[in-house]
Amino acid sequence: MDGVEQTNESWRILIVEDDERLADLTREYLENNGLTVAVESHGGHAVERIRNEQPDLVVLDLMLPGEDGLSICRRVRPFFSGPIIMLTARTDDLDQVLGLEMGADDYIGKPVQPRVLLARIRALLRRVGETGGTAAEAEGEDEPVRLQFNDLVVDRSMREAWLNDKSIDLTSAEFDLLWLLASSAGRVLSREEIFTALRGIEYDGQDRSIDVRVSRIRPKIGDDPVHPRRIKTVRSKGYLFVKEA
C-alpha cells in the first residue's frame, strides 16, 4: 500500500480509539503492512482487553469514553510490560509528560500519519527484541549483554535490571534508556544522541521525554533524585552514567 514494503511480522497490536473512522483506516494500513490488529473503542473495556489479550503493543488514545488514556496506562502497567504509544490531539507538553510518567513509551500527535505510526511501532517492537533487535544492536553483538555496577545489574538479553538482587520494575522505554546510559558509562551522552538512538529521529530541542524517563529511572536504581550519584545531569551537555557511584 502506497509503496510501503510488505512484511511478515506477526506482531499483535491493540488500538484503543473511539474515532471509528480513524481506527478503521489505521487498522487497514497496519494490516496491509503485515501486522495483526484489533480495535477497542471504549476506554472502560480497554484494561481488561489488555490484561486478557496481552498484545505486543498498545496504541492508546488520550481522550476516550468510559476511562481516559492516562488512567488506562497507569492501571495496566503492573501487568503489561509491552510498549504503549499514546495518541493525543493536544499540543500541551503537560499531557505528553503525564503520559510518560504513567508509563507510556512514546506519543504521537493527531492527526496521525499512518507511516509515522508504523515506523514507531516497528522501532519499539524491534528494540524489545521480537525480531532480533535493531540495526544498532546487531552492530554491537560483541558488546557485553550484562553490566554490573556494584549492587546494580543490567542484562540486555533478558531486558531486566536488579538492585540488591531485587528485580527493578522498568517499562520497555525505561530499560532502553538505562541500558544506553549504562553501556556508555563514563561518557556524557547528549540529549540529541540519546533521542536519536532511542527513537530514530532527530531531536527537536523541545521534547522532554528523556528528562522525564531519567527522573523515573533514578529512584528505581537507588539514585537520589535531588543529588544523583549514578545518573548525573551535566549542564548544557546531557547525562553521565557514573561507573563507580
PDB file of all heavy atoms in Angstrom, residues 86-121:
ATOM      1  N   MET A  86       1.006   6.571  23.040  1.00  0.00           N
ATOM      2  CA  MET A  86      -0.127   7.429  23.369  1.00  0.00           C
ATOM      3  C   MET A  86      -0.428   8.356  22.198  1.00  0.00           C
ATOM      4  O   MET A  86       0.489   8.971  21.638  1.00  0.00           O
ATOM      5  CB  MET A  86       0.178   8.247  24.621  1.00  0.00           C
ATOM      6  CG  MET A  86      -1.006   8.984  25.190  1.00  0.00           C
ATOM      7  SD  MET A  86      -2.071   7.904  26.174  1.00  0.00           S
ATOM      8  CE  MET A  86      -1.072   7.754  27.661  1.00  0.00           C
ATOM      9  N   LEU A  87      -1.712   8.456  21.841  1.00  0.00           N
ATOM     10  CA  LEU A  87      -2.149   9.395  20.812  1.00  0.00           C
ATOM     11  C   LEU A  87      -2.805  10.583  21.500  1.00  0.00           C
ATOM     12  O   LEU A  87      -3.647  10.410  22.384  1.00  0.00           O
ATOM     13  CB  LEU A  87      -3.159   8.744  19.865  1.00  0.00           C
ATOM     14  CG  LEU A  87      -2.726   7.485  19.118  1.00  0.00           C
ATOM     15  CD1 LEU A  87      -3.857   7.020  18.200  1.00  0.00           C
ATOM     16  CD2 LEU A  87      -1.467   7.740  18.296  1.00  0.00           C
ATOM     17  N   THR A  88      -2.437  11.782  21.104  1.00  0.00           N
ATOM     18  CA  THR A  88      -3.038  12.961  21.712  1.00  0.00           C
ATOM     19  C   THR A  88      -3.295  14.045  20.680  1.00  0.00           C
ATOM     20  O   THR A  88      -2.448  14.309  19.823  1.00  0.00           O
ATOM     21  CB  THR A  88      -2.149  13.525  22.839  1.00  0.00           C
ATOM     22  OG1 THR A  88      -2.702  14.754  23.308  1.00  0.00           O
ATOM     23  CG2 THR A  88      -0.726  13.767  22.363  1.00  0.00           C
ATOM     24  N   ALA A  89      -4.478  14.636  20.761  1.00  0.00           N
ATOM     25  CA  ALA A  89      -4.819  15.738  19.870  1.00  0.00           C
ATOM     26  C   ALA A  89      -4.360  17.059  20.462  1.00  0.00           C
ATOM     27  O   ALA A  89      -4.407  18.096  19.807  1.00  0.00           O
ATOM     28  CB  ALA A  89      -6.334  15.772  19.630  1.00  0.00           C
ATOM     29  N   ARG A  90      -3.916  17.027  21.703  1.00  0.00           N
ATOM     30  CA  ARG A  90      -3.457  18.238  22.369  1.00  0.00           C
ATOM     31  C   ARG A  90      -1.974  18.471  22.106  1.00  0.00           C
ATOM     32  O   ARG A  90      -1.220  17.539  21.866  1.00  0.00           O
ATOM     33  CB  ARG A  90      -3.680  18.122  23.883  1.00  0.00           C
ATOM     34  CG  ARG A  90      -5.133  17.909  24.277  1.00  0.00           C
ATOM     35  CD  ARG A  90      -5.232  17.736  25.772  1.00  0.00           C
ATOM     36  NE  ARG A  90      -6.597  17.475  26.204  1.00  0.00           N
ATOM     37  CZ  ARG A  90      -6.929  17.230  27.466  1.00  0.00           C
ATOM     38  NH1 ARG A  90      -6.005  17.197  28.408  1.00  0.00           N
ATOM     39  NH2 ARG A  90      -8.189  17.004  27.792  1.00  0.00           N
ATOM     40  N   THR A  91      -1.595  19.723  22.193  1.00  0.00           N
ATOM     41  CA  THR A  91      -0.178  20.072  21.986  1.00  0.00           C
ATOM     42  C   THR A  91       0.482  20.448  23.303  1.00  0.00           C
ATOM     43  O   THR A  91       1.660  20.785  23.331  1.00  0.00           O
ATOM     44  CB  THR A  91      -0.047  21.250  21.000  1.00  0.00           C
ATOM     45  OG1 THR A  91      -0.799  22.366  21.493  1.00  0.00           O
ATOM     46  CG2 THR A  91      -0.573  20.857  19.627  1.00  0.00           C
ATOM     47  N   ASP A  92      -0.272  20.384  24.397  1.00  0.00           N
ATOM     48  CA  ASP A  92       0.252  20.760  25.705  1.00  0.00           C
ATOM     49  C   ASP A  92       1.325  19.774  26.151  1.00  0.00           C
ATOM     50  O   ASP A  92       1.108  18.570  26.187  1.00  0.00           O
ATOM     51  CB  ASP A  92      -0.899  20.773  26.715  1.00  0.00           C
ATOM     52  CG  ASP A  92      -0.487  21.403  28.040  1.00  0.00           C
ATOM     53  OD1 ASP A  92       0.732  21.562  28.269  1.00  0.00           O
ATOM     54  OD2 ASP A  92      -1.381  21.714  28.838  1.00  0.00           O
ATOM     55  N   ASP A  93       2.504  20.285  26.510  1.00  0.00           N
ATOM     56  CA  ASP A  93       3.590  19.430  26.983  1.00  0.00           C
ATOM     57  C   ASP A  93       3.181  18.635  28.215  1.00  0.00           C
ATOM     58  O   ASP A  93       3.654  17.529  28.430  1.00  0.00           O
ATOM     59  CB  ASP A  93       4.829  20.275  27.329  1.00  0.00           C
ATOM     60  CG  ASP A  93       5.615  20.679  26.098  1.00  0.00           C
ATOM     61  OD1 ASP A  93       5.326  20.139  25.024  1.00  0.00           O
ATOM     62  OD2 ASP A  93       6.507  21.536  26.230  1.00  0.00           O
ATOM     63  N   LEU A  94       2.288  19.211  29.032  1.00  0.00           N
ATOM     64  CA  LEU A  94       1.894  18.549  30.267  1.00  0.00           C
ATOM     65  C   LEU A  94       1.261  17.199  29.985  1.00  0.00           C
ATOM     66  O   LEU A  94       1.529  16.224  30.693  1.00  0.00           O
ATOM     67  CB  LEU A  94       0.923  19.434  31.059  1.00  0.00           C
ATOM     68  CG  LEU A  94       0.408  18.844  32.377  1.00  0.00           C
ATOM     69  CD1 LEU A  94       1.569  18.560  33.328  1.00  0.00           C
ATOM     70  CD2 LEU A  94      -0.601  19.787  33.020  1.00  0.00           C
ATOM     71  N   ASP A  95       0.432  17.119  28.940  1.00  0.00           N
ATOM     72  CA  ASP A  95      -0.196  15.840  28.599  1.00  0.00           C
ATOM     73  C   ASP A  95       0.844  14.813  28.191  1.00  0.00           C
ATOM     74  O   ASP A  95       0.749  13.643  28.543  1.00  0.00           O
ATOM     75  CB  ASP A  95      -1.210  16.027  27.459  1.00  0.00           C
ATOM     76  CG  ASP A  95      -2.452  16.765  27.913  1.00  0.00           C
ATOM     77  OD1 ASP A  95      -2.917  16.495  29.034  1.00  0.00           O
ATOM     78  OD2 ASP A  95      -2.948  17.609  27.154  1.00  0.00           O
ATOM     79  N   GLN A  96       1.840  15.256  27.434  1.00  0.00           N
ATOM     80  CA  GLN A  96       2.886  14.340  26.999  1.00  0.00           C
ATOM     81  C   GLN A  96       3.717  13.867  28.183  1.00  0.00           C
ATOM     82  O   GLN A  96       4.039  12.682  28.292  1.00  0.00           O
ATOM     83  CB  GLN A  96       3.770  15.042  25.956  1.00  0.00           C
ATOM     84  CG  GLN A  96       2.992  15.443  24.714  1.00  0.00           C
ATOM     85  CD  GLN A  96       3.802  16.327  23.781  1.00  0.00           C
ATOM     86  OE1 GLN A  96       4.895  16.778  24.108  1.00  0.00           O
ATOM     87  NE2 GLN A  96       3.248  16.601  22.613  1.00  0.00           N
ATOM     88  N   VAL A  97       4.045  14.777  29.087  1.00  0.00           N
ATOM     89  CA  VAL A  97       4.820  14.417  30.271  1.00  0.00           C
ATOM     90  C   VAL A  97       4.019  13.471  31.161  1.00  0.00           C
ATOM     91  O   VAL A  97       4.545  12.468  31.659  1.00  0.00           O
ATOM     92  CB  VAL A  97       5.238  15.676  31.054  1.00  0.00           C
ATOM     93  CG1 VAL A  97       5.839  15.299  32.398  1.00  0.00           C
ATOM     94  CG2 VAL A  97       6.246  16.489  30.255  1.00  0.00           C
ATOM     95  N   LEU A  98       2.740  13.770  31.363  1.00  0.00           N
ATOM     96  CA  LEU A  98       1.898  12.902  32.184  1.00  0.00           C
ATOM     97  C   LEU A  98       1.811  11.505  31.584  1.00  0.00           C
ATOM     98  O   LEU A  98       1.855  10.501  32.297  1.00  0.00           O
ATOM     99  CB  LEU A  98       0.494  13.496  32.314  1.00  0.00           C
ATOM    100  CG  LEU A  98       0.351  14.676  33.280  1.00  0.00           C
ATOM    101  CD1 LEU A  98      -1.051  15.262  33.187  1.00  0.00           C
ATOM    102  CD2 LEU A  98       0.659  14.247  34.703  1.00  0.00           C
ATOM    103  N   GLY A  99       1.688  11.430  30.254  1.00  0.00           N
ATOM    104  CA  GLY A  99       1.646  10.123  29.596  1.00  0.00           C
ATOM    105  C   GLY A  99       2.896   9.319  29.857  1.00  0.00           C
ATOM    106  O   GLY A  99       2.838   8.126  30.166  1.00  0.00           O
ATOM    107  N   LEU A 100       4.048   9.959  29.765  1.00  0.00           N
ATOM    108  CA  LEU A 100       5.314   9.281  30.021  1.00  0.00           C
ATOM    109  C   LEU A 100       5.421   8.865  31.483  1.00  0.00           C
ATOM    110  O   LEU A 100       5.920   7.783  31.802  1.00  0.00           O
ATOM    111  CB  LEU A 100       6.480  10.183  29.641  1.00  0.00           C
ATOM    112  CG  LEU A 100       6.609  10.510  28.146  1.00  0.00           C
ATOM    113  CD1 LEU A 100       7.613  11.629  27.930  1.00  0.00           C
ATOM    114  CD2 LEU A 100       7.004   9.277  27.350  1.00  0.00           C
ATOM    115  N   GLU A 101       4.945   9.722  32.387  1.00  0.00           N
ATOM    116  CA  GLU A 101       5.005   9.392  33.802  1.00  0.00           C
ATOM    117  C   GLU A 101       4.078   8.235  34.155  1.00  0.00           C
ATOM    118  O   GLU A 101       4.341   7.485  35.101  1.00  0.00           O
ATOM    119  CB  GLU A 101       4.664  10.624  34.646  1.00  0.00           C
ATOM    120  CG  GLU A 101       5.744  11.695  34.609  1.00  0.00           C
ATOM    121  CD  GLU A 101       5.404  12.893  35.454  1.00  0.00           C
ATOM    122  OE1 GLU A 101       4.204  13.084  35.771  1.00  0.00           O
ATOM    123  OE2 GLU A 101       6.331  13.663  35.793  1.00  0.00           O
ATOM    124  N   MET A 102       2.988   8.073  33.414  1.00  0.00           N
ATOM    125  CA  MET A 102       2.077   6.956  33.644  1.00  0.00           C
ATOM    126  C   MET A 102       2.602   5.655  33.038  1.00  0.00           C
ATOM    127  O   MET A 102       2.029   4.592  33.258  1.00  0.00           O
ATOM    128  CB  MET A 102       0.693   7.260  33.066  1.00  0.00           C
ATOM    129  CG  MET A 102      -0.080   8.355  33.775  1.00  0.00           C
ATOM    130  SD  MET A 102      -0.431   8.011  35.510  1.00  0.00           S
ATOM    131  CE  MET A 102       0.781   9.051  36.318  1.00  0.00           C
ATOM    132  N   GLY A 103       3.682   5.744  32.237  1.00  0.00           N
ATOM    133  CA  GLY A 103       4.288   4.533  31.693  1.00  0.00           C
ATOM    134  C   GLY A 103       4.236   4.388  30.188  1.00  0.00           C
ATOM    135  O   GLY A 103       4.597   3.340  29.662  1.00  0.00           O
ATOM    136  N   ALA A 104       3.792   5.432  29.466  1.00  0.00           N
ATOM    137  CA  ALA A 104       3.792   5.358  28.008  1.00  0.00           C
ATOM    138  C   ALA A 104       5.230   5.360  27.493  1.00  0.00           C
ATOM    139  O   ALA A 104       6.122   5.957  28.099  1.00  0.00           O
ATOM    140  CB  ALA A 104       3.018   6.526  27.411  1.00  0.00           C
ATOM    141  N   ASP A 105       5.447   4.678  26.370  1.00  0.00           N
ATOM    142  CA  ASP A 105       6.790   4.601  25.788  1.00  0.00           C
ATOM    143  C   ASP A 105       7.024   5.674  24.737  1.00  0.00           C
ATOM    144  O   ASP A 105       8.160   6.041  24.460  1.00  0.00           O
ATOM    145  CB  ASP A 105       7.002   3.224  25.152  1.00  0.00           C
ATOM    146  CG  ASP A 105       6.974   2.120  26.188  1.00  0.00           C
ATOM    147  OD1 ASP A 105       8.017   1.850  26.787  1.00  0.00           O
ATOM    148  OD2 ASP A 105       5.893   1.540  26.407  1.00  0.00           O
ATOM    149  N   ASP A 106       5.948   6.143  24.118  1.00  0.00           N
ATOM    150  CA  ASP A 106       6.074   7.120  23.050  1.00  0.00           C
ATOM    151  C   ASP A 106       4.735   7.824  22.917  1.00  0.00           C
ATOM    152  O   ASP A 106       3.722   7.362  23.449  1.00  0.00           O
ATOM    153  CB  ASP A 106       6.452   6.429  21.732  1.00  0.00           C
ATOM    154  CG  ASP A 106       7.103   7.378  20.730  1.00  0.00           C
ATOM    155  OD1 ASP A 106       7.125   8.596  20.989  1.00  0.00           O
ATOM    156  OD2 ASP A 106       7.586   6.901  19.689  1.00  0.00           O
ATOM    157  N   TYR A 107       4.714   8.942  22.227  1.00  0.00           N
ATOM    158  CA  TYR A 107       3.449   9.614  21.962  1.00  0.00           C
ATOM    159  C   TYR A 107       3.497  10.230  20.575  1.00  0.00           C
ATOM    160  O   TYR A 107       4.555  10.617  20.073  1.00  0.00           O
ATOM    161  CB  TYR A 107       3.154  10.680  23.025  1.00  0.00           C
ATOM    162  CG  TYR A 107       4.255  11.697  23.216  1.00  0.00           C
ATOM    163  CD1 TYR A 107       4.382  12.788  22.363  1.00  0.00           C
ATOM    164  CD2 TYR A 107       5.166  11.564  24.248  1.00  0.00           C
ATOM    165  CE1 TYR A 107       5.401  13.702  22.526  1.00  0.00           C
ATOM    166  CE2 TYR A 107       6.186  12.485  24.429  1.00  0.00           C
ATOM    167  CZ  TYR A 107       6.293  13.555  23.557  1.00  0.00           C
ATOM    168  OH  TYR A 107       7.303  14.449  23.715  1.00  0.00           O
ATOM    169  N   ILE A 108       2.336  10.297  19.934  1.00  0.00           N
ATOM    170  CA  ILE A 108       2.217  10.847  18.586  1.00  0.00           C
ATOM    171  C   ILE A 108       1.025  11.791  18.575  1.00  0.00           C
ATOM    172  O   ILE A 108      -0.051  11.452  19.073  1.00  0.00           O
ATOM    173  CB  ILE A 108       2.017   9.744  17.538  1.00  0.00           C
ATOM    174  CG1 ILE A 108       3.210   8.782  17.537  1.00  0.00           C
ATOM    175  CG2 ILE A 108       1.825  10.346  16.146  1.00  0.00           C
ATOM    176  CD1 ILE A 108       3.058   7.627  16.575  1.00  0.00           C
ATOM    177  N   GLY A 109       1.207  12.962  18.008  1.00  0.00           N
ATOM    178  CA  GLY A 109       0.123  13.927  17.924  1.00  0.00           C
ATOM    179  C   GLY A 109      -0.841  13.613  16.792  1.00  0.00           C
ATOM    180  O   GLY A 109      -0.452  13.071  15.759  1.00  0.00           O
ATOM    181  N   LYS A 110      -2.085  13.936  17.016  1.00  0.00           N
ATOM    182  CA  LYS A 110      -3.094  13.800  15.963  1.00  0.00           C
ATOM    183  C   LYS A 110      -3.104  15.069  15.117  1.00  0.00           C
ATOM    184  O   LYS A 110      -2.793  16.151  15.610  1.00  0.00           O
ATOM    185  CB  LYS A 110      -4.475  13.586  16.587  1.00  0.00           C
ATOM    186  CG  LYS A 110      -4.680  12.222  17.211  1.00  0.00           C
ATOM    187  CD  LYS A 110      -6.108  12.087  17.702  1.00  0.00           C
ATOM    188  CE  LYS A 110      -6.432  10.690  18.155  1.00  0.00           C
ATOM    189  NZ  LYS A 110      -7.830  10.565  18.602  1.00  0.00           N
ATOM    190  N   PRO A 111      -3.457  14.979  13.831  1.00  0.00           N
ATOM    191  CA  PRO A 111      -3.860  13.769  13.105  1.00  0.00           C
ATOM    192  C   PRO A 111      -2.682  12.822  12.887  1.00  0.00           C
ATOM    193  O   PRO A 111      -1.564  13.269  12.606  1.00  0.00           O
ATOM    194  CB  PRO A 111      -4.377  14.313  11.770  1.00  0.00           C
ATOM    195  CG  PRO A 111      -3.672  15.623  11.595  1.00  0.00           C
ATOM    196  CD  PRO A 111      -3.511  16.187  12.968  1.00  0.00           C
ATOM    197  N   VAL A 112      -2.948  11.533  13.037  1.00  0.00           N
ATOM    198  CA  VAL A 112      -1.910  10.514  12.969  1.00  0.00           C
ATOM    199  C   VAL A 112      -1.560  10.212  11.512  1.00  0.00           C
ATOM    200  O   VAL A 112      -2.442   9.967  10.693  1.00  0.00           O
ATOM    201  CB  VAL A 112      -2.375   9.219  13.658  1.00  0.00           C
ATOM    202  CG1 VAL A 112      -1.303   8.145  13.557  1.00  0.00           C
ATOM    203  CG2 VAL A 112      -2.729   9.489  15.107  1.00  0.00           C
ATOM    204  N   GLN A 113      -0.273  10.240  11.206  1.00  0.00           N
ATOM    205  CA  GLN A 113       0.187   9.820   9.887  1.00  0.00           C
ATOM    206  C   GLN A 113       0.512   8.327   9.956  1.00  0.00           C
ATOM    207  O   GLN A 113       1.412   7.927  10.712  1.00  0.00           O
ATOM    208  CB  GLN A 113       1.425  10.609   9.477  1.00  0.00           C
ATOM    209  CG  GLN A 113       1.185  12.099   9.349  1.00  0.00           C
ATOM    210  CD  GLN A 113       2.425  12.845   8.910  1.00  0.00           C
ATOM    211  OE1 GLN A 113       3.274  12.310   8.189  1.00  0.00           O
ATOM    212  NE2 GLN A 113       2.549  14.083   9.346  1.00  0.00           N
ATOM    213  N   PRO A 114      -0.205   7.483   9.211  1.00  0.00           N
ATOM    214  CA  PRO A 114      -0.007   6.029   9.319  1.00  0.00           C
ATOM    215  C   PRO A 114       1.437   5.586   9.139  1.00  0.00           C
ATOM    216  O   PRO A 114       1.900   4.681   9.831  1.00  0.00           O
ATOM    217  CB  PRO A 114      -0.908   5.474   8.203  1.00  0.00           C
ATOM    218  CG  PRO A 114      -1.980   6.503   8.046  1.00  0.00           C
ATOM    219  CD  PRO A 114      -1.289   7.818   8.279  1.00  0.00           C
ATOM    220  N   ARG A 115       2.173   6.228   8.226  1.00  0.00           N
ATOM    221  CA  ARG A 115       3.572   5.849   8.010  1.00  0.00           C
ATOM    222  C   ARG A 115       4.400   6.088   9.277  1.00  0.00           C
ATOM    223  O   ARG A 115       5.260   5.290   9.634  1.00  0.00           O
ATOM    224  CB  ARG A 115       4.174   6.647   6.853  1.00  0.00           C
ATOM    225  CG  ARG A 115       3.725   6.221   5.463  1.00  0.00           C
ATOM    226  CD  ARG A 115       4.333   7.147   4.434  1.00  0.00           C
ATOM    227  NE  ARG A 115       3.940   6.790   3.089  1.00  0.00           N
ATOM    228  CZ  ARG A 115       4.602   5.963   2.306  1.00  0.00           C
ATOM    229  NH1 ARG A 115       5.701   5.389   2.773  1.00  0.00           N
ATOM    230  NH2 ARG A 115       4.194   5.704   1.081  1.00  0.00           N
ATOM    231  N   VAL A 116       4.144   7.216   9.939  1.00  0.00           N
ATOM    232  CA  VAL A 116       4.881   7.542  11.159  1.00  0.00           C
ATOM    233  C   VAL A 116       4.535   6.554  12.255  1.00  0.00           C
ATOM    234  O   VAL A 116       5.411   6.048  12.965  1.00  0.00           O
ATOM    235  CB  VAL A 116       4.564   8.984  11.608  1.00  0.00           C
ATOM    236  CG1 VAL A 116       5.190   9.268  12.972  1.00  0.00           C
ATOM    237  CG2 VAL A 116       5.060   9.984  10.575  1.00  0.00           C
ATOM    238  N   LEU A 117       3.243   6.247  12.388  1.00  0.00           N
ATOM    239  CA  LEU A 117       2.821   5.294  13.409  1.00  0.00           C
ATOM    240  C   LEU A 117       3.447   3.927  13.168  1.00  0.00           C
ATOM    241  O   LEU A 117       3.952   3.291  14.097  1.00  0.00           O
ATOM    242  CB  LEU A 117       1.298   5.178  13.421  1.00  0.00           C
ATOM    243  CG  LEU A 117       0.713   4.170  14.417  1.00  0.00           C
ATOM    244  CD1 LEU A 117       1.104   4.509  15.848  1.00  0.00           C
ATOM    245  CD2 LEU A 117      -0.810   4.108  14.275  1.00  0.00           C
ATOM    246  N   LEU A 118       3.432   3.465  11.928  1.00  0.00           N
ATOM    247  CA  LEU A 118       4.030   2.172  11.595  1.00  0.00           C
ATOM    248  C   LEU A 118       5.517   2.152  11.925  1.00  0.00           C
ATOM    249  O   LEU A 118       6.024   1.175  12.503  1.00  0.00           O
ATOM    250  CB  LEU A 118       3.814   1.857  10.112  1.00  0.00           C
ATOM    251  CG  LEU A 118       4.431   0.555   9.594  1.00  0.00           C
ATOM    252  CD1 LEU A 118       3.822  -0.657  10.290  1.00  0.00           C
ATOM    253  CD2 LEU A 118       4.262   0.441   8.077  1.00  0.00           C
ATOM    254  N   ALA A 119       6.217   3.232  11.600  1.00  0.00           N
ATOM    255  CA  ALA A 119       7.657   3.299  11.883  1.00  0.00           C
ATOM    256  C   ALA A 119       7.922   3.256  13.383  1.00  0.00           C
ATOM    257  O   ALA A 119       8.841   2.570  13.842  1.00  0.00           O
ATOM    258  CB  ALA A 119       8.247   4.570  11.274  1.00  0.00           C
ATOM    259  N   ARG A 120       7.118   3.970  14.167  1.00  0.00           N
ATOM    260  CA  ARG A 120       7.300   3.976  15.613  1.00  0.00           C
ATOM    261  C   ARG A 120       7.005   2.597  16.208  1.00  0.00           C
ATOM    262  O   ARG A 120       7.699   2.142  17.125  1.00  0.00           O
ATOM    263  CB  ARG A 120       6.381   5.016  16.252  1.00  0.00           C
ATOM    264  CG  ARG A 120       6.649   6.443  15.817  1.00  0.00           C
ATOM    265  CD  ARG A 120       7.854   7.053  16.519  1.00  0.00           C
ATOM    266  NE  ARG A 120       8.032   8.442  16.145  1.00  0.00           N
ATOM    267  CZ  ARG A 120       7.431   9.471  16.721  1.00  0.00           C
ATOM    268  NH1 ARG A 120       6.610   9.265  17.738  1.00  0.00           N
ATOM    269  NH2 ARG A 120       7.656  10.699  16.310  1.00  0.00           N
ATOM    270  N   ILE A 121       5.948   1.935  15.706  1.00  0.00           N
ATOM    271  CA  ILE A 121       5.602   0.594  16.187  1.00  0.00           C
ATOM    272  C   ILE A 121       6.752  -0.372  15.924  1.00  0.00           C
ATOM    273  O   ILE A 121       7.180  -1.113  16.815  1.00  0.00           O
ATOM    274  CB  ILE A 121       4.309   0.093  15.509  1.00  0.00           C
ATOM    275  CG1 ILE A 121       3.092   0.857  16.046  1.00  0.00           C
ATOM    276  CG2 ILE A 121       4.127  -1.415  15.726  1.00  0.00           C
ATOM    277  CD1 ILE A 121       1.810   0.553  15.303  1.00  0.00           C
TER     278      ILE A 121
END
